[in-house]
Amino acid sequence: MADLLTVPFKKSSDVDIVKPLKNLIHSTYNTGDNNEDFSDAINELNRLRTTAIWKVFEKSSLDVIYSYYDQLVSLESKIPPQEVQIPFKWKDAFDKGSLFGGRMSLTISSLSYERMCILFNIAAMQSAIAAQQPLDTEESLKLAAKLLQQSAGIFAYLKGNIMMAVHQETTPDLNPETLNALSQLMLAQAQEVIAYKCIRDEMKDSMVAKVSAQCEELYTDALRCMQKDALKPLWERDWIPTVQGKQNTFRGLAQYYQAQVCRAGKAVGEEIARLTLAAELLRGARPGSPGADAAVRAARQLAAAVRDNDFIYHERVPEARALEPIARAPIAKALAPPPRWGAAPDLFERLVPMQVHQALMASEARRADLVGAEINKLREATQLLNSILASLNLPACIESTGDAGLPESIREKAAAVRAAGGLAAIRRLMADLPDLLQRNREILTEAERMLREEAEADAALRAQFGARWTRTESEKLTEAFRANAAKYAEIIDNAVRADSIVQQKFKQHEENIELLSRSDGEIDAGVPDAPVARGSDGDALQTLRSLMKTVEEVKAERDALEAELKSATVDLREKFLTALAEDGAVDEPALSAGALGSALAPLQRRAQESLGRQEELTSALQRAHAALMAARGGASGRDEALGRLCAAYDAYQDLTGNLKEGFRFYNDLTQLLLAFQNKVSDFCFARKTEKEELLKDLTQQASRPAPAPPAPRTVDEPAVVKKEAPPRPPPPSAGAPSAASTAHPAPLPYPSQPQGMPLPYGAAAAPYPVYAPMPALYNPYATLPYPHHSRAPPAAPYQPYQYPPPAAGYPQPPPAGYNPYRQQ
């Protein structure tokens, strides 16, 4: 091609994008029900990046860089760019380096910045491939014109969007004025190629003149931009002379072809004036170019025209400044970059946009909140029913006939306790919780330490360098981290309170649980004998036995209803995607309300009917029991002892569920905290890299004889020892496994990658946070068999409910709504 100018490429360095992206995707998108593995996609993206940043210098194919750019666009639309803690480092394309260091560079942890730099290289490669095209074929000229117009459009796009992506001063090649000059230059060169095509196709002289005049105008604009004082040092030494030469060449071509128009119209005087101007302007055209050929023809035609005018026409030759301006034909247009350059499949197709993901999380939280509320109502009611039965010594009292021996229900309860491990199993479970709690506290403490030390280091350097320390303050970037750390600390505090309540309940029933753990003979020996019956209790006994059958039916119905509630799901993914595509936003509350209402309404009605049925059942039980006690002459010491054993069995079941759920809770929290710690570590690593780059820049500026004004640019590795990146701190050890491993599942190992964050619960009106969502009403033991629920007044000090009151004979039913395991 006729000495087209090509834009140099930006150079990058290899960076680990696999680990941070895995951490981000796993912690942001994965939940307990959705735990997809994107390792293959991330590894392929890493391969594409390596190919794109190194193969670009071969100037052979745009496909490799197009593929990486398309994946970046897709990923950026689904992951918040500012969440990516990958220190992308790109060097200035025009800086040649110096004796005191390497190329100027800028390091920013943002997908948007990475995409902008790749887009710059796409435009640079398009200019390089266009310059390789020969002048003698139709296809090559079309391809060159297309590539240059696309390149001009990319630079124009970068000019309008670079500052929104970077949010700080850029390297010189990404300065909006530089990008504007490059866009003008590429557009002028595209018009130049079109002008050559017009000449090659032997189009009308008037058209060639207009196209050439437009080309001269575009080169004039490009030259005006390139000659700004701030930009002159960027260009190669021959760039401005080349542009000036092309400006003259196309002005000369425009005059030459307009002279042909004058010749056809017999305007000899104007023809001579334009040929004179053309011959002068084309004198310096490169040999072999269309301008040089036109210069030869212009000189020959000028001599002939002057001779004819002297001997025949005798027309006045006007001065050059009096000539009419030549009309222009702006054929070349800057082409805006398309949304996607290629047709390669999206590596992250299964990821939904963040708005849809947030809406799905919010919808799932609403579903879980509604389901949890219904299940808690059922469990509260069942727990209250169990407490009433225990206070009435049912079913033991209807099995006691006055003979020696334990009632069958007590034998079954004791057998169940012994099969579960008895008192020793409870103690082993309780011994594990402090270690799990300490492990979580250490992980959170380590994350907080990293944030604190990063902030202290930034503050110290800011105080040392003053206004020259230009990077963003740590506190402005770590607000979300600190908020989530505080929320995690609050969750741990609530869990500690729940553990305390469990311990109190254990101490309260420890003696009777220990008795249930013994053999039937030892239990019988510890229970007083039954008194002699004073009257007939047949009718009352039959009534109670019938009512107890009804109780068992109600419990079975509730178990089935609870299972149906848990399995009731609503998939709103397609609805949310459609809403985002059509409206640009997702109205999650409106879309969720209708879908959840229709799915849960029938189950909610059945739950309400079950609760209403219990009120009548408990009244009937109390009346029948009163009649039985009247027939027997009142409750005996044996009845009271059997009642305490029934209460101890219920407490044993509750405690086992409490402790196992606490065990799962602490292990799940460990995964969340590890995900949080990994994010903090990625952030601190990116900040450390940025800090070292800025320190190198400041050090080099101080060592130069004529220091340049300070700028937020980094420099390549100077002759100093490069510090290693801070190692990711390992999670603290949980210690040796306890003997309880045989009584419940073994602790989960530390995951190599963080899994999901819990869904938020309860905050229907509050916006759901994007990063590390925390439960608003977190209940670490939410899946216990039939927990109670209560809430103390906000100003009231924490007072765990004593159940049963120490002075009570029989175990008394707890107050309605009591739940020792819900957040107070």
Side-chain angles (χ1 to χ4, degrees):
M1 184 59 71
D3 62 355
L4 290 179
L5 300 177
T6 62
V7 180
F9 296 104
K10 290 182 69 67
K11 296 179 178 62
S12 184
S13 55
D14 290 327
V15 64
D16 178 19
I17 70 173
V18 175
K19 195 170 188 178
L21 276 181
K22 281 185 178 179
N23 289 346
L24 177 60
I25 291 177
H26 279 252
S27 61
T28 303
Y29 282 88
N30 286 357
T31 64
D33 299 327
N34 177 25
N35 193 16
E36 295 190 56
D37 184 12
F38 288 91
S39 298
D40 292 342
I42 294 172
N43 289 331
E44 177 63 15
L45 182 70
N46 186 53
R47 188 194 66 80
L48 287 174
R49 183 181 195 272
T50 301
T51 305
I53 65 175
W54 296 116
K55 292 290 185 181
V56 68
F57 299 104
E58 296 179 3
K59 305 178 183 178
S60 58
S61 173
L62 283 164
D63 292 338
V64 291
I65 195 168
Y66 282 169
S67 297
Y68 179 55
Y69 178 83
D70 287 346
Q71 301 303 331
L72 282 179
V73 171
S74 173
L75 195 58
E76 189 180 355
S77 69
K78 299 171 182 179
I79 293 181
Q82 67 277 6
E83 287 286 318
V84 178
Q85 300 300 334
I86 304 174
F88 292 113
K89 176 182 177 181
W90 285 88
K91 298 178 182 179
D92 178 73
F94 293 100
D95 187 71
K96 288 82 178 174
S98 68
L99 179 64
F100 301 99
R103 295 174 179 271
M104 285 187 294
S105 63
L106 181 63
T107 302
I108 300 179
S109 299
S110 170
L111 281 177
S112 295
Y113 174 61
E114 171 84 346
R115 180 174 60 84
M116 292 293 179
C117 293
I118 290 294
L119 198 56
F120 183 100
N121 274 0
I122 289 177
M125 181 177 277
Q126 287 172 337
S127 71
I129 294 178
Q132 295 173 356
Q133 304 304 310
L135 283 172
D136 54 354
T137 66
E138 180 82 8
E139 293 301 320
S140 63
L141 288 172
K142 286 184 177 179
L143 177 60
K146 176 185 176 182
L147 291 175
L148 289 168
Q149 290 177 90
Q150 289 179 336
S151 181
I154 289 175
F155 287 126
Y157 172 83
L158 290 174
K159 171 195 171 186
N161 293 274
I162 186 64
M163 299 312 297
M164 291 186 291
V166 175
H167 300 293
Q168 59 180 282
E169 186 178 347
T170 66
T171 47
D173 56 350
L174 293 179
N175 183 283
E177 288 190 350
T178 306
L179 296 169
N180 181 54
L182 292 176
S183 178
Q184 294 291 340
L185 177 61
M186 294 299 108
L187 188 61
Q189 294 191 145
Q191 184 80 10
E192 175 183 355
V193 172
I194 293 172
Y196 289 149
K197 185 177 183 302
C198 291
I199 294 172
R200 179 182 177 278
D201 293 345
E202 298 180 353
M203 297 184 68
K204 291 182 179 180
D205 294 331
S206 60
M207 176 55 69
V208 177
K210 293 176 182 178
V211 171
S212 299
Q214 175 65 15
C215 193
E216 183 259 336
E217 178 70 15
L218 290 176
Y219 272 118
T220 300
D221 294 340
L223 185 62
R224 186 182 302 115
C225 294
M226 295 172 66
Q227 286 181 324
K228 292 183 178 180
D229 293 338
L231 302 185
K232 277 185 179 181
L234 298 181
W235 321 121
E236 297 287 346
R237 284 182 297 179
D238 62 336
W239 273 36
I240 289 180
T242 297
V243 172
Q244 288 174 330
K246 291 190 176 189
Q247 179 190 23
N248 291 332
T249 295
F250 281 96
R251 186 181 176 194
L253 285 173
Q255 295 297 335
Y256 171 75
Y257 283 98
Q258 189 63 29
Q260 307 308 308
V261 175
C262 297
R263 183 180 182 183
K266 304 299 183 181
V268 179
E270 183 179 349
E271 176 190 359
I272 294 173
R274 292 191 184 277
L275 286 173
T276 302
L277 189 56
E280 180 181 350
L281 292 170
L282 294 173
R283 188 176 299 125
R286 184 174 61 87
S289 68
D293 295 341
V296 173
R297 294 196 300 271
R300 187 171 58 250
Q301 291 178 13
L302 176 60
V306 169
R307 185 175 59 253
D308 291 346
N309 190 52
D310 289 342
F311 288 97
I312 301 173
Y313 301 106
H314 304 292
E315 288 192 10
R316 185 181 65 85
V317 177
E319 295 184 5
R321 62 174 177 270
L323 294 173
E324 288 289 331
I326 302 172
R328 300 184 182 92
I331 306 299
K333 305 287 184 182
L335 302 178
R340 292 182 65 88
W341 290 97
D346 184 358
L347 295 175
F348 301 93
E349 185 177 5
R350 289 176 296 167
L351 280 182
V352 296
M354 182 53 64
Q355 286 179 276
V356 174
H357 177 67
Q358 287 180 272
L360 289 171
M361 290 177 63
S363 177
E364 174 59 22
R366 295 180 194 280
R367 187 202 69 82
D369 196 32
L370 291 173
V371 169
E374 295 300 323
I375 291 177
N376 285 338
K377 288 178 186 178
L378 292 174
R379 289 179 175 180
E380 287 174 4
T382 305
Q383 181 67 30
L384 179 60
L385 181 58
N386 286 340
S387 301
I388 293 173
L389 294 176
S391 68
L392 300 177
N393 190 23
L394 291 172
C397 72
I398 61 176
E399 298 169 353
S400 177
T401 59
D403 299 329
L406 291 174
E408 184 61 28
S409 63
I410 297 297
R411 293 177 186 274
E412 292 175 356
K413 288 179 170 59
V417 169
R418 290 193 295 268
L423 185 64
I426 290 287
R427 285 175 173 166
R428 286 195 299 268
L429 287 169
M430 292 186 68
D432 277 352
L433 290 187
D435 291 339
L436 298 175
L437 170 64
Q438 183 62 22
R439 177 175 64 176
N440 286 310
R441 279 179 166 163
E442 289 176 357
I443 297 173
L444 180 58
T445 300
E446 175 64 16
E448 292 174 331
R449 181 197 65 77
M450 288 190 288
L451 288 173
R452 183 174 60 255
E453 290 184 356
E454 193 281 325
E456 291 171 354
D458 181 70
L461 290 169
R462 192 173 302 280
Q464 177 182 350
F465 291 102
R468 291 186 296 161
W469 194 252
T470 55
R471 70 173 185 167
T472 308
E473 295 181 16
S474 293
E475 288 193 359
K476 294 181 179 179
L477 298 175
T478 59
E479 184 177 355
F481 285 122
R482 288 182 280 111
N484 281 283
K487 192 64 180 179
Y488 278 127
E490 180 184 352
I491 287 177
I492 291 176
D493 290 342
N494 291 336
V496 170
R497 290 167 55 188
D499 290 346
S500 176
I501 296 173
V502 169
Q503 291 169 358
Q504 292 177 17
K505 189 172 185 179
F506 171 72
K507 292 178 181 178
Q508 185 178 331
H509 293 279
E510 182 177 8
E511 181 179 348
N512 287 300
I513 291 175
E514 194 274 335
L515 182 59
L516 282 175
S517 303
R518 299 178 183 178
S519 66
D520 289 351
E522 290 176 306
I523 298 173
D524 193 18
V527 176
D529 293 334
V532 178
R534 299 181 182 179
S536 174
D537 57 6
D539 293 340
L541 193 60
Q542 284 298 115
T543 302
L544 276 175
R545 286 174 176 168
S546 176
L547 290 172
M548 285 304 298
K549 289 182 181 179
T550 306
V551 167
E552 295 304 319
E553 292 173 0
V554 169
K555 289 183 178 181
E557 289 174 0
R558 287 180 180 174
D559 288 341
L561 182 56
E562 181 174 331
E564 290 183 52
L565 283 167
K566 288 180 178 179
S567 62
T569 58
V570 179
D571 187 3
L572 295 173
R573 184 176 186 271
E574 294 303 323
K575 281 189 176 181
F576 289 158
L577 286 171
T578 302
L580 182 63
E582 293 178 352
D583 305 329
V586 180
D587 188 0
E588 180 273 327
L591 294 173
S592 297
L596 292 175
S598 59
L600 298 179
L603 299 176
Q604 289 174 321
R605 285 195 295 270
R606 287 169 55 190
Q608 192 61 37
E609 291 170 0
S610 178
L611 297 178
R613 185 180 178 187
Q614 177 171 318
E615 295 180 5
E616 300 176 0
L617 183 58
T618 53
S619 298
L621 282 169
Q622 290 169 339
R623 289 194 299 270
H625 182 267
L628 180 64
M629 291 299 101
R632 293 182 176 180
S636 64
R638 179 180 178 85
D639 289 335
E640 294 178 358
L642 293 176
R644 287 193 293 272
L645 290 176
C646 289
Y649 170 78
D650 290 338
Y652 185 87
Q653 298 298 319
D654 286 351
L655 287 170
T656 302
N658 290 170
L659 294 169
K660 288 184 178 179
E661 181 61 27
F663 184 84
R664 287 191 295 270
F665 161 71
Y666 280 123
N667 278 287
D668 290 345
L669 183 59
T670 297
Q671 294 186 8
L672 295 178
L673 289 173
L674 285 173
F676 176 69
Q677 187 190 60
N678 282 340
K679 275 199 169 186
V680 171
S681 179
D682 290 340
F683 168 79
C684 292
F685 175 80
R687 289 282 284 179
K688 180 178 176 64
T689 303
E690 182 185 9
K691 177 186 71 175
E692 291 179 349
E693 293 291 337
L694 187 53
L695 278 173
K696 292 171 191 175
D697 187 32
L698 295 174
T699 302
Q700 287 190 0
Q701 288 175 4
S703 66
R704 291 172 183 167
R713 304 168 188 151
T714 59
V715 296
D716 205 352
E717 292 75 13
V720 296
V721 178
K722 179 176 177 62
K723 297 181 180 179
E724 294 295 329
R728 190 184 304 283
S733 172
S738 91
S741 60
T742 59
H744 53 74
L748 297 174
Y750 290 105
S752 59
Q753 296 296 336
Q755 303 303 309
M757 298 285 180
L759 291 174
Y761 290 92
Y768 292 91
V770 174
Y771 173 67
M774 297 296 162
L777 297 175
Y778 196 92
N779 179 2
Y781 305 140
T783 61
L784 302 180
Y786 317 125
H788 292 306
H789 301 267
S790 70
R791 290 195 179 277
Y798 172 68
Q799 294 290 340
Y801 174 72
Q802 298 295 327
Y803 167 73
Y810 292 141
Q812 301 297 315
Y818 166 67
N819 175 15
Y821 308 110
R822 174 177 281 185
Q823 177 179 332
Q824 299 295 320

